[in-house]
Amino acid sequence: MTTTISRNDLAGFNQAGFNQLLERRIDPVWITQARKDAWAAFESMGWPNPRDENWMRSDLRGFKLDRYQPIDESETQSVQNAPVRLIQGVDVGGSLRSENGVVTAESLDPKYAAQGVIFGSLSRCARDHAELVKKYLHSQIDIHVDRFAALQAAMWTDGYFLYVPKNVVVDKPLHIHAAMGDGKVDLTHVLIVLEEGAETTVLFESTSSNEDADGFHCGGLELVLNARSNLRFVGLQDWGSGTWHFAHKRASVGQDANLQWTIAAMGARFAQVDQRVALVGPGASSHVNGVMFTRDKQHLTYNTIQQHSAPHCTSDFLYKAVLQDRSRTVWRGMIKVDVGADKTDGYQRNDNLLLSDNARADSIPGLEIKADDVRCTHGSTSGRVDEELIFYAQSRGFTRVEAVRLIVTGFFQQIFDRVTIESVREALGVAIARQVRQYE
Amino acid sequence: MSHILRIENLHVAVDGKAILRGVNLEMKFGETHAMMGPNGSGKSTLGLAIAGHPNYVITEGTITLDGEDITEWEADQRARAGIFMAFQRPVAIPGVKTADFLRHAATNVRRPDRKEGEDLIPMREFRKELKAKMSQLKIDTEFARRYVNDGFSGGEMKRAEILTMAMLSPKFSILDETDSGLDADAVKLASASIAEIGRDKMGLLIITHHDKLLEHNPPQFTHVMLGGRIVETGGAELARELHDHGYDRIRKTYPDAEAANQEMLAKEEAVAV
C-alpha cells in the first residue's frame, strides 16, 4: 500500500518543510550534511538588513516567504506554455529542461558524451558523478552571505550540471530552460565546470507559464573555468511579472581562460542578483554584457564585483538599462584588485536610458585597488530619451513608438555588437522590441 | 503632377514666445523657392513648423497640402504625406545603421498606410536602390553601414540629408541652411546634388543666407523674412541682391519688421545668458 502526501500536507520553507525534503530525497550523505549545515545557517540569520550596502536600495517588504511552498520533487512537474526564445534556428548539442525546479528532460549529443562531457540533472549527477560535483558544488558561493544563499543551499531541488573534460570542444551550444508555473517556486543550481582547454557555449533561459506569473526563484550559479578554457554563457531572465527573483552568481576564471557572459534581465517584479567574476589565474579575461529592460513597477538590482586576484587579467563589464513606467534599476559595480594583481585592466560601465519621468536608475560604480600597477576605468550615464531624436525619426516617417523602439535598439546595439551568437542577438532584439510600449 | 503646399497667416510660438507673425506662402510641385533673411528672422522656425516639430506651436493660421489641412498632424503623418525637411543640424542616432534607418523610413513614406510590424521593402531591392542613389550623389557605400549621423563631419551630415531626400522623394522639401558649416567645394557639391535630386521632381524651399547653394537651383521665387514675416518676394535677382548687398535695404524699408527682429534677437540673447 502506498500513501501519497497531498499538497496540503506539505510544509512551507520552515523546519518541518526542510525535514520533509530530507526524507523524500535520495541524496548522498555529504549533500544531506551540507543541506543541514546550510539550514542551520539559514535559521541563525535574519533577513537582509536594509542598511546593508547590497540591500539598502531593495525593498523586501512585499516579499512573504510563507506564501510559497517547496516543490515535492517526487511528484511529476508540468509547466505549460513557458516560452523558449534563445534557440530559434539553432542546432543545439544538448538540452535540459526543468519545471518548477526539477529537471524533467535531459539530452546530450552522443558524440559529446563519448568524449566525457557530462550534462544533466544536478541531483542525478551528484549521485552518478559524486566526486566531481562534490569538488565544485558551492565552491564559489559563500552560503553565509545572506539568507537567500543559505536557503538555496539547504533546499535546492535540482539543477544543471555541465562538465567538459580537458581540451574537449563542444562546438554546438547547449541549452537550458528553466520553466516555472504561476505561484510556484524554482530553487535550482547551475554548476558548470570546464577543465583545462575546454570550450563551450551555454544558452540559459528562465521563463514562466504566463506573462504575469507569480513565483519565487532562489537560485545559485557557479561557473568554474580552469586554465585556457573558454566559455560563452548567456542568461535570459524572463520570469513572469509577479515573480521574486534572488540569485547568487559566481564565476572563477583560471589562467588564460576566457569568459564571455551575457545577462539579459527582462522579467520578474523584483530581482536581487549578486554577480561576481573572480580572475584567479594570470592572463584570465572576462567580458560581461548586461541588458536590463524594465516596465511597470519592476525593481531590478544587480550588484556586480570584478575580483582581480591574479596579475595580467582583464575584466570588462558593460551594463545597459532601459526603463519604462515606474520601474527602477539599481546597479552597483565594484572592481576589486588584490595585492599583487599587477597589470590589471579593469573596465566597468553602466548606461541607463529612461523612457519615463517616473522611472529611476541608480548607478553606483566603485573601485577598490590594492595593487600598484593597474589600469581601471569606470563610468555611468543616465538620461531621458532625447525628444529631438524622436522628432528626427518622426520627420522621416517613423511613428512615435517606432522611433522610441529604434532609439532603444540603437542604445543596446553596443552590447549586441559584443554578443557573438546570432540567435541570441536576434532573440534579445525581439524581446526588447516587444517590450517597448506605446507611451507619450 | 500638381501638388500645392499652402501656408496661410502662420503664427508660431516657441516656449510661449511669438516667432512667426503671419507668414503666407504658396509652393507648387516643381518650383524652387529661396527663403532668405538675417539671423533670428524665423526662417528655420518656418521649416520646423512645417515639418511638425512639437515645440513649435502653431497659434494661428493653417498649413494645407493639396487642400488638406495638416496643421494639427504629427511629424510622421506629414512625412508620409510627402513633406520633408533636411535639418540644419541633424541629430545622431547611435547604434542604428544608416541603411536600416533609411529602409524603414522609405517603407513608411512609400506605404503611408503601413501598419507597424508589417514587412519593410525587401532588403535586396532596397540595397540596390540605395547603392544607385549613393553613387549618383558620389557618396561612399561604406556610409550605409555607419550609424545615423554618428561621428559624421558637417559635410557628411548634409550629404546624408540629401541622400535621405533622394530615398524618400517627397512632394515638398525644406532645406534648412544645408550650406551652413560647409566649405566652398562642399557647398558646390550640395548645390549640384540638390538640383540632381530635387529640381523639377518636387517643390523646393531652400533656406539660406547665401546664393552659393542656389547656383544650380535658380529660384523662381525669392522670399525675404524679417521679424517673423515675409516682407518681400521676388525672383532670382532678389537672392543675388541680398547676397551682394546684404539686408540693409530690407531693414530700412520695413522698420516694423526690423524692430520685431531685434526684439526676437534680444530675447534669444537673454535666454542664452
Side-chain angles (χ1 to χ4, degrees):
Chain A
M1 206 181 98
T2 55
T3 25
T4 38
I5 301 168
S6 81
R7 199 173 182 282
N8 294 338
D9 298 331
L10 214 56
F13 288 101
N14 48 35
Q15 186 67 53
F18 180 66
N19 291 342
Q20 283 180 356
L21 173 129
L22 290 185
E23 276 164 34
R24 68 174 175 260
R25 288 192 64 92
I26 318 154
D27 282 328
V29 176
W30 65 270
I31 286 195
T32 305
Q33 190 53 50
R35 288 184 185 280
K36 285 179 177 168
D37 294 345
W39 183 257
F42 173 78
E43 291 278 47
S44 71
M45 272 188 271
W47 292 110
N49 187 332
R51 280 188 295 273
D52 182 326
E53 263 297 308
N54 272 3
W55 292 89
M56 62 193 303
R57 291 166 193 85
S58 311
D59 186 356
L60 273 179
R61 277 174 301 181
F63 176 69
K64 301 272 178 288
L65 184 59
D66 56 17
R67 282 187 50 233
Y68 301 97
Q69 277 199 310
I71 294 296
D72 181 349
E73 58 272 70
S74 62
E75 285 183 352
T76 310
Q77 298 298 324
S78 170
V79 177
Q80 305 294 324
N81 301 326
V84 172
R85 301 207 168 91
L86 289 180
I87 50 167
Q88 299 291 328
V90 177
D91 183 17
V92 298
S95 64
L96 295 176
R97 173 179 165 87
S98 71
E99 289 164 284
N100 299 327
V102 181
V103 172
T104 51
E106 307 174 68
S107 75
L108 177 65
D109 190 322
K111 76 174 176 191
Y112 300 131
Q115 295 177 83
V117 175
I118 302 164
F119 187 48
S121 147
L122 184 64
S123 294
R124 180 176 66 74
C125 291
R127 299 189 293 267
D128 297 352
H129 306 279
E131 286 312 305
L132 276 177
V133 173
K134 191 175 179 180
K135 182 172 172 190
Y136 291 108
L137 184 64
H138 287 115
S139 63
Q140 307 300 316
I141 297 174
D142 172 11
I143 64 160
H144 296 94
V145 68
D146 62 42
R147 248 194 145 183
F148 294 99
L151 178 66
Q152 197 268 349
M155 296 192 71
W156 61 270
T157 45
D158 204 343
Y160 328 90
F161 180 58
L162 168 64
Y163 176 81
V164 186
K166 190 173 173 180
N167 294 331
V168 170
V169 176
V170 178
D171 49 2
K172 290 184 197 169
L174 302 172
H175 181 243
I176 302 172
H177 178 210
M180 179 161 44
D182 200 356
K184 298 290 187 179
V185 306
D186 176 309
L187 270 73
T188 48
H189 196 89
V190 182
L191 179 59
I192 294 177
V193 179
L194 270 64
E195 291 289 15
E196 221 179 301
E199 216 176 298
T200 190
T201 297
V202 177
L203 308 178
F204 183 103
E205 56 191 308
S206 39
T207 60
S208 299
S209 54
N210 42 298
E211 223 171 278
D212 58 350
D214 181 11
F216 171 47
H217 168 81
C218 186
L221 178 147
E222 297 176 285
L223 311 174
V224 181
L225 283 76
N226 287 304
R228 290 183 300 287
S229 62
N230 205 318
L231 173 65
R232 293 191 298 181
F233 186 87
V234 176
L236 170 61
Q237 183 275 102
D238 202 8
W239 294 125
S241 59
T243 301
W244 295 83
H245 167 65
F246 302 89
H248 291 281
K249 304 184 180 206
R250 298 282 185 273
S252 163
V253 187
Q255 181 171 354
D256 295 321
N258 181 27
L259 170 65
Q260 188 198 93
W261 186 350
T262 300
I263 289 187
M266 306 273 168
R269 65 177 285 179
F270 175 97
Q272 175 93 17
V273 176
D274 285 5
Q275 180 194 28
R276 190 190 68 190
V277 173
L279 301 139
V280 299
S285 77
S286 70
H287 284 75
V288 171
N289 311 313
V291 172
M292 287 184 257
F293 197 174
T294 57
R295 57 182 165 178
D296 300 320
K297 288 170 136 183
Q298 275 184 287
H299 185 148
L300 308 187
T301 298
Y302 274 76
N303 294 315
T304 71
I305 296 177
Q306 296 155 257
Q307 178 91 41
H308 283 259
S309 304
H312 295 280
C313 293
T314 306
S315 68
D316 177 347
F317 278 41
L318 175 65
Y319 270 83
K320 285 195 165 223
V322 172
L323 298 89
Q324 302 182 111
D325 308 325
R326 308 184 68 84
S327 63
R328 186 175 173 195
T329 59
V330 178
W331 177 84
R332 274 185 74 219
M334 176 63 76
I335 303 180
K336 289 189 176 184
V337 182
D338 295 346
V339 176
D342 292 328
K343 302 290 179 192
T344 283
D345 188 351
Y347 176 79
Q348 60 171 218
R349 184 168 186 92
N350 169 227
D351 294 323
N352 303 299
L353 180 64
L354 289 85
L355 301 185
S356 143
D357 285 333
N358 299 315
R360 176 176 159 185
D362 292 356
S363 189
I364 309 120
L367 303 172
E368 235 181 68
I369 299 172
K370 292 182 182 144
D372 298 326
D373 184 10
V374 301
R375 190 179 72 172
C376 290
T377 47
H378 63 162
S380 77
T381 62
S382 289
R384 274 224 57 171
V385 62
D386 187 346
E387 285 294 331
E388 291 302 321
L389 265 63
I390 294 176
F391 170 63
Y392 184 75
Q394 279 195 282
S395 76
R396 270 79 182 116
F398 288 75
T399 63
R400 187 178 173 87
V401 70
E402 282 176 332
V404 172
R405 193 169 292 158
L406 181 85
I407 293 162
V408 167
T409 306
F411 178 77
F412 282 130
Q413 188 59 43
Q414 190 188 356
I415 290 219
F416 293 169
D417 287 344
R418 292 160 55 116
V419 174
T420 53
I421 307 161
E422 197 188 343
S423 72
V424 172
R425 281 199 302 270
E426 277 173 18
L428 292 181
V430 168
I432 284 162
R434 202 187 51 226
Q435 195 115 326
V436 176
R437 62 165 82 241
Q438 198 89 35
Y439 82 106
E440 282 312 310
Chain B
M1 268 190 266
S2 63
H3 298 289
I4 296 183
L5 179 66
R6 189 174 285 133
I7 318 284
E8 282 174 295
N9 189 32
L10 198 69
H11 287 68
V12 173
V14 180
D15 295 334
K17 290 195 298 280
I19 310 256
L20 297 190
R21 302 156 189 230
V23 172
N24 294 288
L25 178 67
E26 187 179 295
M27 282 176 69
K28 293 198 180 73
F29 186 92
E31 289 176 353
T32 299
H33 292 239
M35 180 64 66
M36 302 182 79
N39 276 336
S41 58
K43 306 185 298 294
S44 292
T45 297
L46 176 64
L48 288 161
I50 297 171
H53 194 297
N55 293 355
Y56 291 72
V57 181
I58 296 172
T59 53
E60 208 181 322
T62 55
I63 306 170
T64 57
L65 177 61
D66 296 336
E68 189 156 18
D69 188 340
I70 65 167
T71 316
E72 300 289 320
W73 287 16
E74 291 272 314
D76 60 304
Q77 289 175 286
R78 299 181 196 208
R80 290 177 191 217
I83 304 278
F84 175 83
M85 185 168 102
F87 284 56
Q88 187 180 346
R89 279 181 292 270
V91 291
I93 311 181
V96 176
K97 289 196 180 83
T98 301
D100 295 338
F101 181 74
L102 290 180
R103 181 172 168 228
H104 197 147
T107 308
N108 277 7
V109 167
R110 290 175 201 180
R111 295 204 345 245
D113 53 349
R114 173 180 176 268
K115 303 241 175 347
E116 248 183 272
E118 287 179 13
D119 285 348
L120 300 176
I121 302 167
M123 184 67 94
R124 280 177 72 105
E125 190 183 305
F126 177 78
R127 276 203 188 131
K128 206 172 145 195
E129 186 187 339
L130 183 65
K131 227 178 143 182
K133 285 283 192 301
M134 289 174 103
S135 102
Q136 189 186 0
L137 293 171
K138 300 182 179 63
I139 294 174
D140 192 338
T141 47
E142 173 260 351
F143 224 74
R145 285 191 296 272
R146 290 172 64 185
Y147 295 152
V148 177
N149 296 321
D150 197 18
F152 283 23
S153 69
E156 286 173 332
M157 277 192 197
K158 300 302 168 72
R159 287 164 76 197
E161 291 293 282
I162 296 169
L163 175 66
T164 307
M165 180 171 101
M167 294 305 292
L168 302 185
S169 41
K171 294 176 187 142
F172 293 96
S173 269
I174 303 144
L175 294 125
D176 188 7
E177 302 202 18
T178 300
D179 48 359
S180 70
L182 301 190
D183 61 30
D185 286 344
V187 173
K188 250 186 190 158
L189 181 60
S191 177
S193 300
I194 292 165
E196 176 107 22
I197 300 300
R199 190 144 189 81
D200 304 326
K201 299 184 196 79
M202 58 188 72
L204 289 172
L205 180 63
I206 300 177
I207 299 173
T208 180
H209 281 290
H210 315 288
D211 68 350
K212 286 278 177 283
L213 199 59
L214 304 173
E215 188 180 326
H216 296 276
N217 303 281
Q220 285 98 341
F221 304 94
T222 300
H223 310 280
V224 187
M225 190 170 274
L226 188 68
R229 284 192 294 125
I230 291 175
V231 291
E232 215 167 273
T233 293
E237 78 294 339
L238 179 56
R240 266 193 305 279
E241 182 218 310
L242 295 172
H243 179 73
D244 294 345
H245 304 293
Y247 295 98
D248 285 354
R249 178 184 66 78
I250 298 285
R251 290 183 199 274
K252 283 192 189 111
T253 317
Y254 308 97
D256 292 356
E258 168 61 7
N261 212 74
Q262 293 303 332
E263 187 194 323
M264 278 168 12
L265 275 176
K267 276 188 188 166
E268 233 172 70
E269 274 159 22
V271 171
V273 170

